[in-house]
Amino acid sequence: MTWHVVLEVRRDGPEPLGAQIADQLRRQVEQGRLAPRSRLPSSRQLAEDLRVSRSVVVEAYEKLTGEGLLESVRGSGTRVAAHADTRIRKPVVLVDRTVPPARFNLLPGTPNAVTFPHREWTSSYQRAVETARYQGLGYPPLLGVDQLRTELISYLGRVRGVLGHPDNTMVTGGFAHGLGLICAALVELGVHRLAVEDPSHDRQRQFIEENGIRTVAVPVGAEGVEIEPLYASGVRAVLVTPSHQFPLGVPMSQQRKQELVRWAQDTGGWIIEDDYDGGLWLDHRGRHLAMQPVSPERIIYAGTASKLLAPGLRLGWLVLPPELTRVTEMVRVRRDLGGDGLMQLAFADFLRSGLLDGHLRRMRTRYRAQHGTLMQALERYLPAATLVGPVAGLHVFATLPESADEERLVARALARSVLVKGGRVFYDRPGTALPGLVLGYTAMGRSGISEAIRRIGEAYEE
Ligand SMILES: Cc1ncc(COP(=O)(O)O)c(C=O)c1O
């Protein structure tokens, strides 16, 4: 390995060469240009780069090592000392997204390194790298590489009933990225408020507001989002999770879908369908297809690989009403130059080879078993919990009696090394909801799930 640093020596100056090298290195470490543990070239290499004799570099390195700024690591040369003092300080973190350490993780949406299809994904990625030409290695089209949009439309039609064309499909860096683009497109169209379900994804509300759109919370009833408040508030866009309401889990009734579409047609409104766990219906009976085909002209369909594969891939997609496609492309032009072409080609290969279908088939079996374990454990250790919603998705919502103290329960669970989220945090007005828990069950195997619920039961009894 040949490492590189930027140093300059002046042969005509009064200062000896070794001192010049040492001074510059010292300054760079102090300024933070050379971070702790940065590797340095070997004395032989640096001597060659600077056209000085090796002994000059050795002398400089030894001097700084003596000062505790550099250290030599056996077998791998010289580096900046791990504890070297630099002036660079860690920035203050405004939003702390770090997860407290816990043995049992029941947070919804947590990926599981054991179930990720490493071999299949690697083979798709390898084929993508080997066959990539301009599309893939050059700037990809803003909508995403052609191969992936074609594969996505075929997959989404087959599995989710979505109606679309590759030309009105946009590949995004996950749903969050797509939502940011939609917010910008809505502002462009003069829409400044967006109705969101209450309850809904807590961080999504904040994200929308940060994107310049005010959110209006609309309650979710047994059939889905309430329609009257939509008319009453005068909003012209709504974000819904019709197949599997997040976080409650209830699907929107067919009648409510019709009513919602009628609202959109009456008011010229837009419906954003967040199909975040599309296709992960675990029980074949009563499986819900996407809502988008009810009105492809008024519904923006959004999907993501975060639940189907892993959030780390940052892959999502939008199937846009034709009227919105150009404006969404236009707002994207101002923000980025397209997504990760190689990743998109790999995902196209993954879909084309049937690897996603195979993976989801295996996952449904696994998740069904885990869901069963969760049910049994709740019945045994937390009988006070009442479940909301059907056997679907990757989490369940459980309510607790009015008298339960949700916040304390979550804190006590954490004290027992169980990371779990309360239900009320998802509500715009938490006081109106029963205390509850949102239980994700993908991060652990069955014995882990059972033990985590046993500990929650213990915390509840306390
Ligand atoms: C309701 C909802 N929508 C969307 C997403 C996925 O977002 P992304 O694709 O940006 O990972 C999640 C993931 O947690 C979610 O819970």
Side-chain angles (χ1 to χ4, degrees), residues 107-334:
L107 296 185
T110 308
N112 187 334
V114 175
T115 55
F116 183 79
H118 293 89
R119 198 163 36 84
E120 292 86 346
W121 183 261
T122 307
S123 68
S124 284
Y125 200 86
Q126 187 168 350
R127 276 194 291 273
V129 174
E130 283 168 2
T131 56
R133 296 290 174 265
Y134 184 74
Q135 280 216 11
L137 294 174
Y139 292 106
L142 266 191
L143 289 177
V145 300
D146 302 349
Q147 295 92 320
L148 178 53
R149 286 181 290 121
T150 304
E151 290 304 327
L152 273 172
I153 281 301
S154 139
Y155 174 79
L156 294 172
R158 183 162 57 76
V159 175
R160 305 297 296 136
V162 169
L163 298 174
H165 187 278
D167 289 351
N168 58 316
T169 302
M170 180 182 273
V171 182
T172 62
F175 176 66
H177 176 223
L179 183 58
L181 294 172
I182 296 168
C183 287
L186 289 176
V187 168
E188 201 69 34
L189 297 173
V191 179
H192 298 280
R193 290 188 306 149
L194 175 64
V196 293
E197 296 174 313
D198 188 23
S200 65
H201 195 295
D202 51 334
R203 273 186 277 127
Q204 235 164 45
R205 291 197 296 270
Q206 189 190 342
F207 180 80
I208 293 165
E209 302 261 349
E210 281 163 1
N211 272 275
I213 299 242
R214 274 189 39 219
T215 57
V216 177
V218 175
V220 174
E223 292 197 47
V225 71
E226 303 286 354
I227 302 295
E228 274 314 310
L230 285 182
Y231 280 104
S233 63
V235 289
R236 283 189 39 223
V238 61
L239 169 60
V240 286
T241 45
S243 297
H244 188 228
Q245 206 280 334
F246 189 86
L248 294 177
V250 289
M252 194 182 289
S253 71
Q254 290 306 325
Q255 188 180 330
R256 187 54 53 85
K257 288 181 185 172
Q258 299 288 349
E259 289 167 354
L260 188 56
V261 165
R262 204 165 320 122
W263 163 82
Q265 287 163 347
D266 288 349
T267 59
W270 301 105
I271 301 166
I272 306 164
E273 172 175 18
D274 175 9
D275 196 27
Y276 65 98
D277 60 6
L280 276 169
W281 200 260
L282 307 183
D283 184 345
H284 277 286
R285 288 162 302 164
R287 179 174 184 160
H288 283 251
L289 291 178
M291 176 180 172
Q292 186 263 7
V294 182
S295 179
E297 319 73 48
R298 306 252 41 110
I299 301 179
I300 301 159
Y301 174 85
T304 170
S306 289
K307 297 278 198 287
L308 305 181
L309 282 162
L313 298 176
R314 303 319 295 140
L315 271 173
W317 43 91
L318 301 173
V319 180
L320 294 152
E323 205 185 319
L324 284 190
T325 308
R326 291 301 151 245
V327 63
T328 312
E329 264 191 293
M330 198 178 79
V331 296
R332 187 163 184 180
V333 162
R334 297 186 203 136

Side-chain angles (χ1 to χ4, degrees), residues 52-118:
V52 297
S53 84
R54 190 173 164 209
S55 61
V56 167
V57 178
V58 171
E59 179 199 316
Y61 277 8
E62 279 175 0
K63 185 164 189 328
L64 295 176
T65 306
E67 292 173 20
L69 278 182
L70 301 186
E71 58 194 14
S72 50
V73 183
R74 262 227 338 246
S76 57
T78 306
R79 66 177 191 183
V80 177
H83 302 292
D85 200 13
T86 88
R87 263 183 247 139
I88 302 280
R89 294 281 165 255
K90 261 183 147 180
V92 176
V93 180
L94 295 180
V95 184
D96 188 3
R97 297 199 198 282
T98 50
V99 177
R103 238 182 100 196
F104 303 92
N105 187 335
L106 291 170
L107 296 185
T110 308
N112 187 334
V114 175
T115 55
F116 183 79
H118 293 89

